[in-house]
Amino acid sequence: MAKRQEKQERQPQITLSSNRLRVRIDDLDVISPLTDNQKVFFDYYKQEEQFMLLHGVAGTGKTYIALYKALEEVLDKSSSYQKVVIVRSVVPSREIGHLPGDEKEKSEVYQQPYMEICHNLFHRSDAYQRLQEQGAIQFLTTSFLRGVTLDNTIVIVDECQNLNDCEINTIMTRVGTNSKIIFCGDFRQTDLNKKHDMSGLKKFMSIAKMMPSFKLIEFSVNDIVRSEIVKQYILARLQYEETHAQG
């Protein structure tokens, strides 16, 4: 998803207070952008931009680099940001009532991608769990956002093409003081299939472009880093859709 720079093997430290293995910034891999648009994001982030949308096709590493930069900043002791909050809409059932268990158990399936990213970034299978215990990362669904104010927080809104207009409005009005927000998604990948439950991403993009603080980074097929087969598939799919749209 991004280029990893070699670092010396590290031994995790045990804190005296909890006697648990903590995740530290020194445990985080140092990575660099693989594509031009990944570099644009890194540059925007370095410039302390507060409101960004990483939009584009699958396999371009949008969520990976967003979570990497957010964790890098939150784990820095000199940072004023206290935690990373990942927000997702729970589809196909927005209220996750069909799944057994409580809210935590129901939402675990949606957290799997972030567990894998943290595992990759820290080379520890328990990295995501430890970051949660340390208060460095939190997962929220849009079903439980009302009444929340996100201060001193880096908010990552993932799979934002699955958000309807009301959900996007709720998220944007939750952003508090000293916070930044990064949206990741692609309106072509929406999982919504009901006519009354349309994605709000296109409307949101039109509104956001009227805000001076908004930065849009458009990821194309040339930014795909997941695999060659994914790149071939996306190219073929886009060609198919263009051909049939014309027909």
Side-chain angles (χ1 to χ4, degrees):
M1 296 307 174
K3 185 178 180 180
R4 177 180 292 117
Q5 297 178 4
E6 295 296 329
K7 297 183 70 174
Q8 293 183 348
E9 185 177 354
R10 302 168 296 268
Q11 295 298 324
Q13 293 184 345
I14 299 178
T15 59
L16 298 177
S17 58
S18 64
N19 199 35
R20 287 178 177 270
L21 294 174
R22 289 182 62 86
V23 176
R24 304 168 301 128
I25 191 171
D26 289 342
D27 302 321
L28 178 65
D29 263 351
V30 177
I31 64 174
S32 55
L34 282 175
T35 70
D36 290 342
N37 280 314
Q38 284 193 2
K39 185 178 187 305
V40 170
F41 169 71
F42 275 56
D43 290 343
Y44 276 153
Y45 203 98
K46 186 176 182 180
Q47 295 166 19
E48 301 183 353
E49 297 292 348
Q50 301 298 109
F51 179 20
M52 290 177 275
L53 168 58
L54 281 57
H55 181 266
V57 298
T60 51
K62 300 182 296 293
T63 304
Y64 188 93
I65 59 176
L67 187 53
Y68 165 68
K69 293 303 292 183
L71 286 170
E72 181 184 49
E73 188 159 27
V74 165
L75 291 175
D76 186 344
K77 292 182 179 179
S78 65
S79 172
S80 60
Y81 295 102
Q82 298 174 354
K83 62 181 176 180
V84 179
V85 171
I86 301 169
V87 178
R88 276 188 68 165
S89 179
V90 286
V91 289
S93 174
R94 206 173 295 282
E95 298 304 327
I96 56 178
H98 69 297
L99 295 173
D102 57 20
E103 177 196 348
K104 179 178 180 296
E105 293 170 328
K106 291 176 180 180
S107 65
E108 280 182 354
V109 64
Y110 298 98
Q111 299 181 61
Q112 190 63 38
Y114 317 113
M115 296 178 189
E116 293 177 2
I117 290 173
C118 289
H119 183 185
N120 185 275
L121 287 174
F122 293 96
H123 303 284
R124 290 179 51 171
S125 60
D126 67 341
Y128 184 81
Q129 176 188 353
R130 297 305 185 193
L131 288 165
Q132 285 186 313
E133 292 172 354
Q134 294 168 210
I137 198 168
Q138 181 181 5
F139 179 85
L140 290 175
T141 72
T142 54
S143 302
F144 299 92
L145 264 181
R146 294 190 184 278
V148 174
T149 300
L150 300 170
D151 294 325
N152 307 309
T153 300
I154 302 174
V155 185
I156 297 176
V157 186
D158 199 22
E159 302 291 348
C160 62
Q161 70 275 1
N162 292 327
L163 300 169
N164 61 35
D165 183 52
C166 290
E167 288 177 306
I168 291 177
N169 185 64
T170 298
I171 293 168
M172 287 300 297
T173 55
R174 299 302 95 201
V175 180
T177 58
N178 187 43
S179 290
K180 67 175 65 174
I181 186 163
I182 305 168
F183 285 78
C184 302
D186 176 13
F187 63 77
R188 290 159 294 202
Q189 298 181 56
T190 181
D191 295 320
L192 303 175
N193 51 27
K194 297 178 181 179
K195 290 184 178 179
H196 68 275
D197 202 15
M198 300 295 289
S199 171
L201 181 55
K202 285 188 177 181
K203 177 180 177 181
F204 170 66
M205 291 172 71
S206 297
I207 294 171
K209 286 177 181 178
M210 294 186 279
M211 299 174 61
S213 60
F214 177 67
K215 302 295 182 184
L216 170 65
I217 307 171
E218 191 69 44
F219 288 77
S220 71
V221 174
N222 293 329
D223 295 298
I224 293 175
V225 294
R226 182 165 296 156
S227 68
E228 180 60 29
I229 198 69
V230 169
K231 187 171 185 177
Q232 290 179 24
Y233 170 74
I234 296 294
L235 278 168
R237 185 178 180 90
L238 291 173
Q239 183 179 354
Y240 172 88
E241 291 175 348
E242 182 180 350
T243 301
H244 282 258
Q246 292 174 354

